Amino acid sequence: MTSAGWFQAALRRIPGGVNSPARAFRGVGGEPFFVRAARGSRLETVEGRELLDYVGTWGPAILGHAPAEVVAVVQDAAAAGMSFGTPHPLEVEMAEVVCAWVPSVEKVRMVNSGTEATMSCVRLARGFTGRDKIIKFEGCYHGHVDSLLVRAGSGALTHGQPDSAGIPEALARLTLSLPFNDEEAVRRAFREHPGEIAAIITEPVPANAGLYLPEPGFLEALRRICLEEGALLIFDEVMTGFRVAAGGAQEVFGVMPDLTALGKILGGGLPVGAFGGRAEIMDSLSPDGPVYQAGTLSGNPLAMAAGLAQLRSLQRQDAWARLESTGQLLETGLQEAIAGKPLTLHRLGSMFCLHFQNGPIRNLTEARANDTAAFARFFHGCLRRGVYLPPSQFETAFLSLAHSPEDITETLRVAREALDESGI
Ligand code: HOZ
């Protein structure tokens, strides 16, 4: 059956035909294709068509798809049993690796998604501080957590639901959503809500409204303000963790949060999230402390085996230097291709985004000025030529270690043709 046939069948039984709205192509028009396999830098559709993949299953596929070292350990782990519901040695090994790699993390707990990780951070911050309010930033996406689906990014933004239905007003009022890169707005919020704010949660590098970077000093200001106000600083590194450096954005920018949410790469492609931070805070979690958090499949042995194999492979290959080199190759070529056009390229390591405007793009308001219709034309021009970008202007693309110089050369040729064809 073709992708169209599978999609019609999906529509009959799955809302919107997808198990996650970001896959629905609504931001670019048309219908999603269906994939039957993937290897390295490429996807294989059910029609047998090969696509050069820059979504990387939204971040986890940093080694490329189906890396042999990860597949092998998952096969072995599965043969020993899929899940036990008891502690397993691999959970300890994973905790040791996370605490060794992520500078601010002294203790960590595994969960099953990035959403669970950020949700648990918020509950823990509220329980630890005894305060109820949370500051987030417009356009940042922290998974579909009730408290954080306020002015959210990613699919919520793409589909015009940055403030989801179903969130009680009484709960939404506890979330203060501010412009990113605006220190004065943060200070004003603390002045207006003295002693009420439990935490600031942020993507240290917002990548769910397209990719934009913290202005110099902004993350340091958040750290200072939280210390001054007795609030916790939470970094949502679900995307940047193990991606922009072994220790994530907190290693790159040298700013240490109190809690960190992790996921994606950590699971090697299997459902994994984690949250961790200062032991003093983490020890507030049940069974030692009053903040309850749990999960039947948390620390699942297959997911732990996959994640550990992926992380150890990254370390062996000095992955981040290689990814930076590939990123520079792509950036040089794209900058040449967009010269003189109303386009702005943002890149950090192996994360990149082509904003369809001249910029600057420093927050959601500026990101929303993107020409999404032009992006859609470019997206489909690339897809027709075999290059798959994230199907929304409000997402970020990812390179992997499997992307070769030849892949980059092919991508640059396709991008130039798609830009010309789109009349941009
Ligand atoms: N969290 C992903 C990156 N924005 C989107 C993937 C999804 O929601 O399905």
mmCIF file with all atom_site columns, all heavy atoms in Angstrom, residues 128-144:
data_model
loop_
_atom_site.group_PDB
_atom_site.id
_atom_site.type_symbol
_atom_site.label_atom_id
_atom_site.label_alt_id
_atom_site.label_comp_id
_atom_site.label_asym_id
_atom_site.label_entity_id
_atom_site.label_seq_id
_atom_site.pdbx_PDB_ins_code
_atom_site.Cartn_x
_atom_site.Cartn_y
_atom_site.Cartn_z
_atom_site.occupancy
_atom_site.B_iso_or_equiv
_atom_site.pdbx_formal_charge
_atom_site.auth_seq_id
_atom_site.auth_comp_id
_atom_site.auth_asym_id
_atom_site.auth_atom_id
_atom_site.pdbx_PDB_model_num
ATOM 1   N N   . PHE A 1 128 ? 9.564  21.433 46.120 1.00 0.00 ? 128 PHE A N   1
ATOM 2   C CA  . PHE A 1 128 ? 10.782 21.820 46.846 1.00 0.00 ? 128 PHE A CA  1
ATOM 3   C C   . PHE A 1 128 ? 10.681 23.244 47.381 1.00 0.00 ? 128 PHE A C   1
ATOM 4   O O   . PHE A 1 128 ? 11.137 23.534 48.499 1.00 0.00 ? 128 PHE A O   1
ATOM 5   C CB  . PHE A 1 128 ? 12.000 21.688 45.910 1.00 0.00 ? 128 PHE A CB  1
ATOM 6   C CG  . PHE A 1 128 ? 13.309 21.997 46.556 1.00 0.00 ? 128 PHE A CG  1
ATOM 7   C CD1 . PHE A 1 128 ? 13.924 21.071 47.407 1.00 0.00 ? 128 PHE A CD1 1
ATOM 8   C CD2 . PHE A 1 128 ? 13.942 23.214 46.341 1.00 0.00 ? 128 PHE A CD2 1
ATOM 9   C CE1 . PHE A 1 128 ? 15.154 21.353 48.004 1.00 0.00 ? 128 PHE A CE1 1
ATOM 10  C CE2 . PHE A 1 128 ? 15.169 23.509 46.937 1.00 0.00 ? 128 PHE A CE2 1
ATOM 11  C CZ  . PHE A 1 128 ? 15.771 22.572 47.778 1.00 0.00 ? 128 PHE A CZ  1
ATOM 12  N N   . THR A 1 129 ? 10.084 24.149 46.591 1.00 0.00 ? 129 THR A N   1
ATOM 13  C CA  . THR A 1 129 ? 10.035 25.571 47.001 1.00 0.00 ? 129 THR A CA  1
ATOM 14  C C   . THR A 1 129 ? 8.764  25.914 47.767 1.00 0.00 ? 129 THR A C   1
ATOM 15  O O   . THR A 1 129 ? 8.704  26.956 48.424 1.00 0.00 ? 129 THR A O   1
ATOM 16  C CB  . THR A 1 129 ? 10.098 26.490 45.751 1.00 0.00 ? 129 THR A CB  1
ATOM 17  O OG1 . THR A 1 129 ? 8.928  26.235 44.942 1.00 0.00 ? 129 THR A OG1 1
ATOM 18  C CG2 . THR A 1 129 ? 11.376 26.246 44.953 1.00 0.00 ? 129 THR A CG2 1
ATOM 19  N N   . GLY A 1 130 ? 7.724  25.076 47.605 1.00 0.00 ? 130 GLY A N   1
ATOM 20  C CA  . GLY A 1 130 ? 6.447  25.407 48.231 1.00 0.00 ? 130 GLY A CA  1
ATOM 21  C C   . GLY A 1 130 ? 5.723  26.535 47.504 1.00 0.00 ? 130 GLY A C   1
ATOM 22  O O   . GLY A 1 130 ? 4.786  27.143 48.035 1.00 0.00 ? 130 GLY A O   1
ATOM 23  N N   . ARG A 1 131 ? 6.166  26.852 46.284 1.00 0.00 ? 131 ARG A N   1
ATOM 24  C CA  . ARG A 1 131 ? 5.552  27.918 45.501 1.00 0.00 ? 131 ARG A CA  1
ATOM 25  C C   . ARG A 1 131 ? 4.798  27.298 44.314 1.00 0.00 ? 131 ARG A C   1
ATOM 26  O O   . ARG A 1 131 ? 5.093  26.168 43.913 1.00 0.00 ? 131 ARG A O   1
ATOM 27  C CB  . ARG A 1 131 ? 6.618  28.895 44.996 1.00 0.00 ? 131 ARG A CB  1
ATOM 28  C CG  . ARG A 1 131 ? 7.436  29.552 46.111 1.00 0.00 ? 131 ARG A CG  1
ATOM 29  C CD  . ARG A 1 131 ? 8.532  30.428 45.507 1.00 0.00 ? 131 ARG A CD  1
ATOM 30  N NE  . ARG A 1 131 ? 9.370  31.060 46.523 1.00 0.00 ? 131 ARG A NE  1
ATOM 31  C CZ  . ARG A 1 131 ? 10.393 31.867 46.219 1.00 0.00 ? 131 ARG A CZ  1
ATOM 32  N NH1 . ARG A 1 131 ? 10.690 32.113 44.943 1.00 0.00 ? 131 ARG A NH1 1
ATOM 33  N NH2 . ARG A 1 131 ? 11.128 32.428 47.179 1.00 0.00 ? 131 ARG A NH2 1
ATOM 34  N N   . ASP A 1 132 ? 3.877  28.060 43.707 1.00 0.00 ? 132 ASP A N   1
ATOM 35  C CA  . ASP A 1 132 ? 3.026  27.475 42.664 1.00 0.00 ? 132 ASP A CA  1
ATOM 36  C C   . ASP A 1 132 ? 3.316  27.988 41.254 1.00 0.00 ? 132 ASP A C   1
ATOM 37  O O   . ASP A 1 132 ? 3.075  27.288 40.279 1.00 0.00 ? 132 ASP A O   1
ATOM 38  C CB  . ASP A 1 132 ? 1.545  27.771 42.971 1.00 0.00 ? 132 ASP A CB  1
ATOM 39  C CG  . ASP A 1 132 ? 1.068  27.050 44.224 1.00 0.00 ? 132 ASP A CG  1
ATOM 40  O OD1 . ASP A 1 132 ? 1.743  26.069 44.621 1.00 0.00 ? 132 ASP A OD1 1
ATOM 41  O OD2 . ASP A 1 132 ? 0.048  27.474 44.795 1.00 0.00 ? 132 ASP A OD2 1
ATOM 42  N N   . LYS A 1 133 ? 3.798  29.212 41.125 1.00 0.00 ? 133 LYS A N   1
ATOM 43  C CA  . LYS A 1 133 ? 3.899  29.801 39.785 1.00 0.00 ? 133 LYS A CA  1
ATOM 44  C C   . LYS A 1 133 ? 5.182  29.387 39.064 1.00 0.00 ? 133 LYS A C   1
ATOM 45  O O   . LYS A 1 133 ? 6.201  29.102 39.704 1.00 0.00 ? 133 LYS A O   1
ATOM 46  C CB  . LYS A 1 133 ? 3.780  31.335 39.862 1.00 0.00 ? 133 LYS A CB  1
ATOM 47  C CG  . LYS A 1 133 ? 2.362  31.741 40.251 1.00 0.00 ? 133 LYS A CG  1
ATOM 48  C CD  . LYS A 1 133 ? 2.127  33.228 40.314 1.00 0.00 ? 133 LYS A CD  1
ATOM 49  C CE  . LYS A 1 133 ? 0.658  33.506 40.661 1.00 0.00 ? 133 LYS A CE  1
ATOM 50  N NZ  . LYS A 1 133 ? 0.411  34.907 41.037 1.00 0.00 ? 133 LYS A NZ  1
ATOM 51  N N   . ILE A 1 134 ? 5.061  29.357 37.732 1.00 0.00 ? 134 ILE A N   1
ATOM 52  C CA  . ILE A 1 134 ? 6.178  28.943 36.878 1.00 0.00 ? 134 ILE A CA  1
ATOM 53  C C   . ILE A 1 134 ? 6.353  29.997 35.785 1.00 0.00 ? 134 ILE A C   1
ATOM 54  O O   . ILE A 1 134 ? 5.359  30.443 35.190 1.00 0.00 ? 134 ILE A O   1
ATOM 55  C CB  . ILE A 1 134 ? 5.890  27.583 36.203 1.00 0.00 ? 134 ILE A CB  1
ATOM 56  C CG1 . ILE A 1 134 ? 5.748  26.465 37.245 1.00 0.00 ? 134 ILE A CG1 1
ATOM 57  C CG2 . ILE A 1 134 ? 6.956  27.228 35.156 1.00 0.00 ? 134 ILE A CG2 1
ATOM 58  C CD1 . ILE A 1 134 ? 7.048  26.051 37.912 1.00 0.00 ? 134 ILE A CD1 1
ATOM 59  N N   . ILE A 1 135 ? 7.572  30.370 35.508 1.00 0.00 ? 135 ILE A N   1
ATOM 60  C CA  . ILE A 1 135 ? 7.864  31.221 34.342 1.00 0.00 ? 135 ILE A CA  1
ATOM 61  C C   . ILE A 1 135 ? 8.355  30.332 33.207 1.00 0.00 ? 135 ILE A C   1
ATOM 62  O O   . ILE A 1 135 ? 9.221  29.472 33.422 1.00 0.00 ? 135 ILE A O   1
ATOM 63  C CB  . ILE A 1 135 ? 8.948  32.272 34.670 1.00 0.00 ? 135 ILE A CB  1
ATOM 64  C CG1 . ILE A 1 135 ? 8.384  33.385 35.579 1.00 0.00 ? 135 ILE A CG1 1
ATOM 65  C CG2 . ILE A 1 135 ? 9.507  32.903 33.384 1.00 0.00 ? 135 ILE A CG2 1
ATOM 66  C CD1 . ILE A 1 135 ? 9.433  34.387 36.038 1.00 0.00 ? 135 ILE A CD1 1
ATOM 67  N N   . LYS A 1 136 ? 7.769  30.489 32.063 1.00 0.00 ? 136 LYS A N   1
ATOM 68  C CA  . LYS A 1 136 ? 8.284  29.875 30.827 1.00 0.00 ? 136 LYS A CA  1
ATOM 69  C C   . LYS A 1 136 ? 8.412  30.988 29.805 1.00 0.00 ? 136 LYS A C   1
ATOM 70  O O   . LYS A 1 136 ? 8.051  32.129 30.064 1.00 0.00 ? 136 LYS A O   1
ATOM 71  C CB  . LYS A 1 136 ? 7.378  28.751 30.322 1.00 0.00 ? 136 LYS A CB  1
ATOM 72  C CG  . LYS A 1 136 ? 6.098  29.214 29.669 1.00 0.00 ? 136 LYS A CG  1
ATOM 73  C CD  . LYS A 1 136 ? 5.292  28.060 29.060 1.00 0.00 ? 136 LYS A CD  1
ATOM 74  C CE  . LYS A 1 136 ? 5.957  27.482 27.844 1.00 0.00 ? 136 LYS A CE  1
ATOM 75  N NZ  . LYS A 1 136 ? 5.882  28.343 26.628 1.00 0.00 ? 136 LYS A NZ  1
ATOM 76  N N   . PHE A 1 137 ? 8.911  30.639 28.617 1.00 0.00 ? 137 PHE A N   1
ATOM 77  C CA  . PHE A 1 137 ? 9.089  31.654 27.578 1.00 0.00 ? 137 PHE A CA  1
ATOM 78  C C   . PHE A 1 137 ? 8.259  31.314 26.348 1.00 0.00 ? 137 PHE A C   1
ATOM 79  O O   . PHE A 1 137 ? 8.151  30.134 25.970 1.00 0.00 ? 137 PHE A O   1
ATOM 80  C CB  . PHE A 1 137 ? 10.578 31.812 27.233 1.00 0.00 ? 137 PHE A CB  1
ATOM 81  C CG  . PHE A 1 137 ? 11.366 32.369 28.386 1.00 0.00 ? 137 PHE A CG  1
ATOM 82  C CD1 . PHE A 1 137 ? 12.118 31.530 29.197 1.00 0.00 ? 137 PHE A CD1 1
ATOM 83  C CD2 . PHE A 1 137 ? 11.301 33.720 28.717 1.00 0.00 ? 137 PHE A CD2 1
ATOM 84  C CE1 . PHE A 1 137 ? 12.815 32.030 30.282 1.00 0.00 ? 137 PHE A CE1 1
ATOM 85  C CE2 . PHE A 1 137 ? 11.990 34.231 29.812 1.00 0.00 ? 137 PHE A CE2 1
ATOM 86  C CZ  . PHE A 1 137 ? 12.755 33.379 30.590 1.00 0.00 ? 137 PHE A CZ  1
ATOM 87  N N   . GLU A 1 138 ? 7.684  32.357 25.755 1.00 0.00 ? 138 GLU A N   1
ATOM 88  C CA  . GLU A 1 138 ? 6.805  32.178 24.595 1.00 0.00 ? 138 GLU A CA  1
ATOM 89  C C   . GLU A 1 138 ? 7.554  31.448 23.473 1.00 0.00 ? 138 GLU A C   1
ATOM 90  O O   . GLU A 1 138 ? 8.698  31.801 23.170 1.00 0.00 ? 138 GLU A O   1
ATOM 91  C CB  . GLU A 1 138 ? 6.339  33.549 24.092 1.00 0.00 ? 138 GLU A CB  1
ATOM 92  C CG  . GLU A 1 138 ? 5.458  34.290 25.084 1.00 0.00 ? 138 GLU A CG  1
ATOM 93  C CD  . GLU A 1 138 ? 5.252  35.744 24.689 1.00 0.00 ? 138 GLU A CD  1
ATOM 94  O OE1 . GLU A 1 138 ? 5.967  36.200 23.758 1.00 0.00 ? 138 GLU A OE1 1
ATOM 95  O OE2 . GLU A 1 138 ? 4.407  36.413 25.281 1.00 0.00 ? 138 GLU A OE2 1
ATOM 96  N N   . GLY A 1 139 ? 6.897  30.455 22.921 1.00 0.00 ? 139 GLY A N   1
ATOM 97  C CA  . GLY A 1 139 ? 7.512  29.719 21.811 1.00 0.00 ? 139 GLY A CA  1
ATOM 98  C C   . GLY A 1 139 ? 8.325  28.530 22.246 1.00 0.00 ? 139 GLY A C   1
ATOM 99  O O   . GLY A 1 139 ? 8.612  27.633 21.444 1.00 0.00 ? 139 GLY A O   1
ATOM 100 N N   . CYS A 1 140 ? 8.731  28.516 23.529 1.00 0.00 ? 140 CYS A N   1
ATOM 101 C CA  . CYS A 1 140 ? 9.423  27.308 24.002 1.00 0.00 ? 140 CYS A CA  1
ATOM 102 C C   . CYS A 1 140 ? 8.400  26.189 24.154 1.00 0.00 ? 140 CYS A C   1
ATOM 103 O O   . CYS A 1 140 ? 7.268  26.415 24.596 1.00 0.00 ? 140 CYS A O   1
ATOM 104 C CB  . CYS A 1 140 ? 10.132 27.569 25.324 1.00 0.00 ? 140 CYS A CB  1
ATOM 105 S SG  . CYS A 1 140 ? 11.665 28.518 25.172 1.00 0.00 ? 140 CYS A SG  1
ATOM 106 N N   . TYR A 1 141 ? 8.820  24.976 23.788 1.00 0.00 ? 141 TYR A N   1
ATOM 107 C CA  . TYR A 1 141 ? 7.947  23.810 23.872 1.00 0.00 ? 141 TYR A CA  1
ATOM 108 C C   . TYR A 1 141 ? 8.587  22.815 24.823 1.00 0.00 ? 141 TYR A C   1
ATOM 109 O O   . TYR A 1 141 ? 9.756  22.453 24.655 1.00 0.00 ? 141 TYR A O   1
ATOM 110 C CB  . TYR A 1 141 ? 7.778  23.178 22.490 1.00 0.00 ? 141 TYR A CB  1
ATOM 111 C CG  . TYR A 1 141 ? 6.900  21.942 22.486 1.00 0.00 ? 141 TYR A CG  1
ATOM 112 C CD1 . TYR A 1 141 ? 5.530  22.042 22.681 1.00 0.00 ? 141 TYR A CD1 1
ATOM 113 C CD2 . TYR A 1 141 ? 7.456  20.675 22.297 1.00 0.00 ? 141 TYR A CD2 1
ATOM 114 C CE1 . TYR A 1 141 ? 4.719  20.920 22.673 1.00 0.00 ? 141 TYR A CE1 1
ATOM 115 C CE2 . TYR A 1 141 ? 6.659  19.547 22.286 1.00 0.00 ? 141 TYR A CE2 1
ATOM 116 C CZ  . TYR A 1 141 ? 5.293  19.669 22.479 1.00 0.00 ? 141 TYR A CZ  1
ATOM 117 O OH  . TYR A 1 141 ? 4.493  18.557 22.486 1.00 0.00 ? 141 TYR A OH  1
ATOM 118 N N   . HIS A 1 142 ? 7.819  22.410 25.818 1.00 0.00 ? 142 HIS A N   1
ATOM 119 C CA  . HIS A 1 142 ? 8.361  21.506 26.848 1.00 0.00 ? 142 HIS A CA  1
ATOM 120 C C   . HIS A 1 142 ? 7.532  20.222 26.903 1.00 0.00 ? 142 HIS A C   1
ATOM 121 O O   . HIS A 1 142 ? 7.348  19.645 27.965 1.00 0.00 ? 142 HIS A O   1
ATOM 122 C CB  . HIS A 1 142 ? 8.348  22.202 28.203 1.00 0.00 ? 142 HIS A CB  1
ATOM 123 C CG  . HIS A 1 142 ? 9.088  23.502 28.220 1.00 0.00 ? 142 HIS A CG  1
ATOM 124 N ND1 . HIS A 1 142 ? 10.457 23.596 28.116 1.00 0.00 ? 142 HIS A ND1 1
ATOM 125 C CD2 . HIS A 1 142 ? 8.629  24.790 28.284 1.00 0.00 ? 142 HIS A CD2 1
ATOM 126 C CE1 . HIS A 1 142 ? 10.820 24.870 28.132 1.00 0.00 ? 142 HIS A CE1 1
ATOM 127 N NE2 . HIS A 1 142 ? 9.752  25.617 28.232 1.00 0.00 ? 142 HIS A NE2 1
ATOM 128 N N   . GLY A 1 143 ? 7.010  19.780 25.719 1.00 0.00 ? 143 GLY A N   1
ATOM 129 C CA  . GLY A 1 143 ? 6.126  18.625 25.718 1.00 0.00 ? 143 GLY A CA  1
ATOM 130 C C   . GLY A 1 143 ? 4.713  19.062 26.074 1.00 0.00 ? 143 GLY A C   1
ATOM 131 O O   . GLY A 1 143 ? 4.453  20.240 26.342 1.00 0.00 ? 143 GLY A O   1
ATOM 132 N N   . HIS A 1 144 ? 3.804  18.133 26.091 1.00 0.00 ? 144 HIS A N   1
ATOM 133 C CA  . HIS A 1 144 ? 2.392  18.505 26.276 1.00 0.00 ? 144 HIS A CA  1
ATOM 134 C C   . HIS A 1 144 ? 1.976  18.432 27.745 1.00 0.00 ? 144 HIS A C   1
ATOM 135 O O   . HIS A 1 144 ? 1.006  17.805 28.128 1.00 0.00 ? 144 HIS A O   1
ATOM 136 C CB  . HIS A 1 144 ? 1.497  17.634 25.374 1.00 0.00 ? 144 HIS A CB  1
ATOM 137 C CG  . HIS A 1 144 ? 1.569  16.169 25.668 1.00 0.00 ? 144 HIS A CG  1
ATOM 138 N ND1 . HIS A 1 144 ? 0.620  15.536 26.449 1.00 0.00 ? 144 HIS A ND1 1
ATOM 139 C CD2 . HIS A 1 144 ? 2.467  15.213 25.338 1.00 0.00 ? 144 HIS A CD2 1
ATOM 140 C CE1 . HIS A 1 144 ? 0.957  14.258 26.557 1.00 0.00 ? 144 HIS A CE1 1
ATOM 141 N NE2 . HIS A 1 144 ? 2.046  14.041 25.905 1.00 0.00 ? 144 HIS A NE2 1
#
